């Protein structure tokens, strides 16, 4: 999965997070076009949420949804305030992640002797820096604010 084996244009970023007594590591594979368009190709999530998962299907859905929510926030959920009011009026202006943008999200859990932990929160934050690290690997440019400004990623 390293860059030496990455397909042309695909780069990987990784990030780790500890929250609610759970440990999560995520890898994002992304492609950045010369126009600065970011496409997330795949996300891998590895989670240690303790000794027992009560509802495996629910746990999988929580982690997949958290990763997709983070990607959506990174790619376009901007709120603009003008004279004390939000400019965006509805979802046509505050764009949530669309189905065609949603990458596959592979989730693997490691069962450990740790006590069972929370699941919804810890799976979301690491996808953001993992995506930004993949963008850096692809462009050499660091993302310093969210949502991602694709104009800053264009090739010169």
């Amino acid at each position: 999965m390293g860059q030496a084996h990455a397909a042309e244009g695909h780069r990987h970023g990784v990030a780790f997070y500890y929250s609610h007594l759970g440990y999560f590591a995520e890898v994002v594979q992304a492609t950045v076009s010369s126009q600065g368009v970011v496409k997330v190709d795949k996300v891998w999530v590895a989670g240690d949420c303790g000794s027992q998962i009560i509802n495996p299907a629910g746990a999988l859905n929580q982690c997949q949804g958290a990763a997709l929510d983070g990607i959506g926030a990174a790619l376009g959920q901007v709120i603009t305030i003008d004279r004390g009011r939000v400019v965006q009026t509805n979802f046509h202006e505050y764009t949530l992640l669309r189905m065609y943008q949603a990458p596959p999200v592979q989730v693997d859990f490691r069962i450990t002797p740790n006590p069972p932990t929370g699941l919804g929160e810890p799976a979301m934050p690491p996808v953001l820096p993992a995506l930004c690290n993949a963008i850096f690997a692809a462009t050499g440019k660091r993302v310093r604010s969210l949502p991602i400004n694709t104009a800053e990623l264009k090739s010169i």
Side-chain angles (χ1 to χ4, degrees), residues 32-75:
V32 183
S33 75
S34 59
Q35 291 78 34
V37 176
V38 176
K39 179 182 180 295
V40 178
D41 304 306
K42 187 166 182 180
V43 177
W44 292 265
V45 177
D48 169 0
C49 51
S51 60
Q52 185 178 21
I53 298 174
I54 306 299
N55 181 345
L60 174 66
N61 290 335
Q62 281 276 59
C63 290
Q64 288 174 329
L68 294 173
D69 189 34
I71 290 167
L75 295 180

Side-chain angles (χ1 to χ4, degrees), residues 4-148:
H5 299 99
E8 185 62 35
H10 300 292
R11 296 294 179 258
H12 295 90
V14 65
F16 309 90
Y17 192 68
Y18 172 76
S19 172
H20 295 79
L21 303 177
Y23 298 88
F24 280 78
E26 299 187 24
V27 175
V28 170
Q29 178 181 302
T31 305
V32 183
S33 75
S34 59
Q35 291 78 34
V37 176
V38 176
K39 179 182 180 295
V40 178
D41 304 306
K42 187 166 182 180
V43 177
W44 292 265
V45 177
D48 169 0
C49 51
S51 60
Q52 185 178 21
I53 298 174
I54 306 299
N55 181 345
L60 174 66
N61 290 335
Q62 281 276 59
C63 290
Q64 288 174 329
L68 294 173
D69 189 34
I71 290 167
L75 295 180
Q77 294 177 6
V78 64
I79 292 288
T80 309
I81 307 294
D82 182 30
R83 291 180 281 166
R85 293 184 181 192
V86 174
V87 173
Q88 292 75 20
T89 61
N90 211 325
F91 293 117
H92 69 287
E93 295 171 320
Y94 178 79
T95 54
L96 299 174
L97 190 70
R98 305 296 191 220
M99 291 297 289
Y100 73 89
Q101 296 172 299
V105 179
Q106 178 180 326
V107 179
D108 293 292
F109 294 107
R110 178 167 169 77
I111 304 301
T112 65
N114 298 328
T117 67
L119 241 180
E121 293 83 3
M124 191 248 205
V127 78
L128 299 159
L131 173 57
C132 293
N133 286 332
I135 290 168
F136 175 71
T139 66
K141 298 174 183 176
R142 286 283 181 199
V143 174
R144 299 289 184 198
S145 63
L146 296 174
I148 295 166

